[in-house]
Amino acid sequence: MTANDEYVIEILESVGLITHQQGAEALQIAQDADTTVIDVLAERKFATKSDILKALANQFGMEFVSLSGLEFDQEVVDLVPGEVARRYHIIPVYRTESTITVALSDPLDVETLDSLRYVLRCDVAGVVAIPEEIEAALSRMYPATGSTVASMLDELTEGSIQAPGEGTPKLEGEDEVTDADAPIIKLVSLIILEAFRSRASDIHLEPLERKFRVRYRIDGVLHEVESPPKRLQSAIISRVKIMANMSIAEKRLPQDGRIQINVMGRDLDLRVSSVPCNHGETIVMRILDKESLSLGLPKLGFFSDDQQTFERLIGLSDGIILVTGPTGSGKTTTLYACLNHINKPDRKIITVEDPVEYQMTGINQVHVRSDIGLTFGAALRSILRQAPNIIMIGEIRDLETAEIAVNASLTGHLVFSTLHTNDAPSAVTRLIDIGVKPFLVASSTRAIMAQRLVRKICERCKESVKPTDAELRTFGGLAGKLEAVQLFRGRGCSECKQTGYRGRIGIFEIFLINDEVRHMIYERVSASHLRARARELGMRTLREDGIRKVIAGQTTLEEVVRTTMGDSN
């Protein structure tokens, strides 16, 4: 029984939830059993916990929330460290500009909110939730309390783990887990978990001469994290290969695999690649989060004018739409967002990919396998007999693929694909260099969009800043747009891990193919002439779109310069 139990009974009786006799009985039992009256009332079925907590919340002007089925925002959860959430038995549910709202089970516990304000150094508001639901949310959002890669490594003594071949059994499969294997299994799981919680897109496991390095790619930039001892290298690599259904006996040839797991309620695919190097096999795991497929076009970074243009393009009935840019510029994500936008029951969509990165409902996806003869060309010839409305080709790599894509577009199909070129107009000359006839390129291509990803300024530590003279000089003729504008940067905080950036958005260059441009393609004009004329016709370059996002306070001049080094003003 607690000091507040009598007050709780008084409130519940006053609102008619329980009788005086039930209250007196609950108080006596709580006192004898050293428990709370809320537990006693629920156990005796005098009232449900949710009804009790709703009544108490209402008495104190607080909101009651049901946490079961609630989708938690990982960015909000990350604002409260796991040890703090568990110590106070709270779970963060949402935040406003200056306030974090947490769910707690005792509306009378004002001390917890005061302590949290001190610990988190911000304003904290409370809502009321059932304690069991808070516990379940804590287990889901802060799994394995105290288990981080760092703490796990601290726990490993010199003799606790041996690499395969040094006295412990090799990891042969999930059903043959020994006591010696268990720490390695836990360590690999924690490496993946921390990567996901850090919003990493890739995990790099790299054997060096004296070190086994682990790095996460976050917002396009590699960050080194605490690395396991070199002696664990073989055991960790074997564990990852087993999870990815790769052969642990083959260490001389590259291998590819896939891991499908559920992390904190999210279904993730990890695309795994191993390559033998000087000091062992290096492994890269690409984290493919299926929830990112639900991104709408505005979340990719389109401003309203570009979004309208692009929505009109992807709504066409035929033609080729190309997305260009280097590796890691978000081309695949953009194509999937397009398919997601136009995926309707009255349209048949088929993709040909190497490999299939995301599995999408309602879309037929073909995985290219050159080893058995299922090349891009062979797959494309076959799927055209399936009468699709829309085709997505992972990448145009050769003349055969390009010609089939062109022919498909000219026979009434809408074709999406990618190319590796620095800007949009260069894609035209790339197709011609591959061997496609200029008149076919001109007739089939509807638009080409080049894109890059720039890091977004962290909203939590955002502050205004004046551009330096050196930065203005870098932008040449565009500098005039920046001199009278208030710009921003991220100062660096715990939420962005002191980088000043959190998340990424796209910057875009949309090259529309009109009749005049088609005539220039017939004439085989150079990419530089095409680019100059496209700009005269209104095409915004990557750098110009980047400047718009700088002025809007979404990114920094430094980021735009970094990602558009080859772009002219």
Side-chain angles (χ1 to χ4, degrees):
M1 177 169 156
T2 68
N4 290 321
D5 279 352
E6 291 184 3
Y7 185 39
V8 169
I9 292 295
E10 185 181 326
I11 292 171
L12 298 180
E13 288 179 9
S14 69
V15 298
L17 192 60
I18 61 172
T19 66
H20 179 71
Q21 183 180 351
Q22 289 172 332
E25 183 181 339
L27 276 173
Q28 186 60 52
I29 295 172
Q31 186 172 0
D32 294 341
D34 194 23
T35 185
T36 67
V37 292
I38 294 177
D39 288 332
V40 174
L41 290 168
E43 190 178 312
R44 291 299 175 106
K45 295 188 166 66
F46 293 158
T48 64
K49 274 193 183 177
S50 60
D51 287 341
I52 294 168
L53 291 174
K54 282 177 187 175
L56 295 176
N58 187 59
Q59 181 72 19
F60 293 99
M62 298 174 72
E63 180 187 354
F64 176 84
V65 297
S66 173
L67 300 182
S68 60
L70 182 68
E71 286 294 325
F72 290 92
D73 186 338
Q74 188 61 49
E75 292 188 7
V76 176
V77 172
D78 288 343
L79 298 178
V80 180
E83 58 271 21
V84 173
R86 288 193 175 274
R87 186 191 318 150
Y88 294 102
H89 202 258
I90 58 94
I91 187 80
V93 287
Y94 50 84
R95 69 162 179 179
T96 58
E97 190 169 329
S98 59
T99 303
I100 298 175
T101 299
V102 302
L104 69 166
S105 58
D106 186 357
L108 287 77
D109 188 7
V110 293
E111 289 183 6
T112 288
L113 295 179
D114 288 338
S115 299
L116 287 170
R117 290 183 188 105
Y118 176 77
V119 171
L120 301 176
R121 301 189 182 281
C122 67
D123 195 16
V124 178
V127 294
V128 181
I130 297 172
E132 289 79 6
E133 291 187 357
I134 294 177
E135 189 61 45
L138 285 170
S139 299
R140 182 154 58 101
M141 304 311 295
Y142 299 105
T145 306
S147 290
T148 63
V149 172
S151 64
M152 178 73 189
L153 292 175
D154 289 340
E155 293 170 10
L156 299 179
T157 61
E158 208 38 53
S160 63
I161 298 181
Q162 294 173 309
E166 296 181 0
T168 55
K170 291 186 179 181
L171 304 176
E172 294 295 343
E174 295 288 347
D175 298 329
E176 300 178 18
V177 177
T178 69
D179 290 341
D181 299 332
I184 284 293
I185 293 170
K186 184 178 179 183
L187 179 56
V188 171
S189 298
L190 287 172
I191 288 172
I192 295 172
L193 174 64
E194 285 201 359
F196 174 72
R197 289 176 59 82
S198 300
R199 301 175 298 104
S201 60
D202 303 270
I203 305 169
H204 294 251
L205 307 178
E206 302 168 316
L208 306 178
E209 185 178 5
R210 301 176 186 278
K211 183 180 180 181
F212 183 52
R213 183 167 66 180
V214 177
R215 295 193 288 176
Y216 297 157
R217 188 179 296 279
I218 303 170
D219 294 335
V221 179
L222 283 169
H223 298 267
E224 187 168 350
V225 297
E226 185 156 358
S227 300
K230 177 75 172 174
R231 63 190 173 85
L232 303 184
Q233 172 181 312
S234 178
I236 291 172
I237 288 174
S238 294
R239 172 61 187 165
V240 172
K241 291 172 73 174
I242 286 168
M243 293 174 71
N245 292 317
M246 295 156 66
S247 169
I248 61 173
E250 180 56 76
K251 300 181 180 180
R252 300 165 301 167
L253 295 173
Q255 294 187 69
D256 293 309
R258 205 173 189 111
I259 300 171
Q260 293 186 319
I261 56 174
N262 185 284
V263 176
M264 294 161 52
R266 300 267 284 273
D267 289 326
L268 299 183
D269 279 352
L270 274 67
R271 200 177 73 206
V272 184
S273 168
S274 76
V275 175
C277 294
N278 285 353
H279 305 291
E281 293 171 279
T282 180
I283 285 185
V284 176
M285 291 181 272
R286 166 68 59 88
I287 299 174
L288 305 172
D289 183 3
K290 294 180 180 179
E291 290 199 10
S292 66
L293 291 183
S294 60
L295 285 176
L297 294 178
K299 289 191 177 179
L300 296 177
F302 284 109
F303 280 149
S304 58
D305 53 351
D306 282 345
Q307 184 181 335
Q308 288 173 3
T309 300
F310 200 62
E311 284 182 354
R312 178 179 61 79
L313 290 170
I314 65 178
L316 295 173
S317 59
D318 59 16
I320 295 178
I321 296 173
L322 292 173
V323 181
T324 77
T327 301
S329 60
K331 301 186 298 295
T332 303
T333 301
T334 297
L335 287 183
Y336 275 115
C338 292
L339 295 182
N340 196 48
H341 184 79
I342 60 179
N343 185 12
K344 303 287 192 304
D346 61 341
R347 296 171 181 171
K348 184 177 180 73
I349 303 175
I350 302 182
T351 73
V352 182
E353 305 168 68
D354 183 19
V356 173
E357 293 201 9
Y358 297 95
Q359 295 173 6
M360 297 184 70
T361 304
I363 292 179
N364 304 279
Q365 296 172 273
V366 179
H367 181 178
V368 168
R369 291 188 57 190
S370 301
D371 55 328
I372 60 171
L374 185 59
T375 62
F376 271 105
L380 283 168
R381 278 192 296 271
S382 298
I383 68 171
L384 286 175
R385 292 193 286 272
Q386 298 275 316
N389 302 103
I390 298 159
I391 300 169
M392 192 268 270
I393 306 169
E395 182 185 347
I396 293 179
R397 301 179 178 178
D398 51 39
L399 177 59
E400 181 186 23
T401 306
E403 284 183 333
I404 296 173
V406 167
N407 290 334
S409 71
L410 294 174
T411 53
H413 304 85
L414 182 62
V415 179
F416 294 97
S417 191
T418 69
L419 274 178
H420 288 283
T421 62
N422 288 330
D423 62 5
S426 298
V428 170
T429 52
R430 174 65 57 85
L431 288 173
I432 293 172
D433 290 342
I434 286 175
V436 183
K437 300 286 193 297
F439 75 91
L440 290 175
V441 175
S443 303
S444 61
T445 310
R446 295 288 179 265
I448 303 165
M449 183 176 77
Q451 73 172 66
R452 300 287 188 278
L453 292 176
V454 294
R455 291 182 290 174
K456 291 167 60 179
I457 299 171
C458 174
E459 292 296 328
R460 190 177 182 186
C461 59
K462 192 174 185 178
E463 62 181 14
S464 60
V465 65
K466 275 283 193 184
T468 64
D469 291 339
E471 286 175 325
L472 292 174
R473 282 196 299 273
T474 303
F475 285 89
L478 299 175
K481 296 182 179 180
L482 300 169
E483 290 176 334
V485 175
Q486 185 178 27
L487 305 183
F488 297 90
R489 69 171 182 186
R491 185 176 59 255
C493 64
S494 58
E495 186 169 341
C496 62
K497 301 188 185 301
Q498 308 304 322
T499 62
Y501 299 99
R502 187 175 175 87
R504 290 190 291 176
I505 56 169
I507 56 175
F508 306 98
E509 175 178 287
I510 301 177
F511 178 35
L512 300 176
I513 310 295
N514 60 17
D515 289 340
E516 182 179 347
V517 172
R518 286 193 184 91
H519 182 72
M520 295 176 73
I521 297 172
Y522 290 149
E523 300 294 324
R524 285 190 170 226
V525 302
S526 66
S528 57
H529 282 90
L530 272 178
R531 181 177 179 81
R533 184 57 187 147
R535 293 190 65 183
E536 291 172 5
L537 293 171
M539 182 186 80
R540 219 179 346 258
T541 67
L542 287 166
R543 181 161 288 188
E544 287 169 341
D545 193 45
I547 291 294
R548 291 207 301 167
K549 274 140 191 163
V550 170
I551 293 171
Q554 295 179 338
T555 188
T556 63
L557 287 173
E558 180 185 10
E559 269 297 285
V560 174
V561 170
R562 182 179 69 84
T563 54
T564 61
M565 287 299 290
D567 196 5
S568 61
N569 296 321

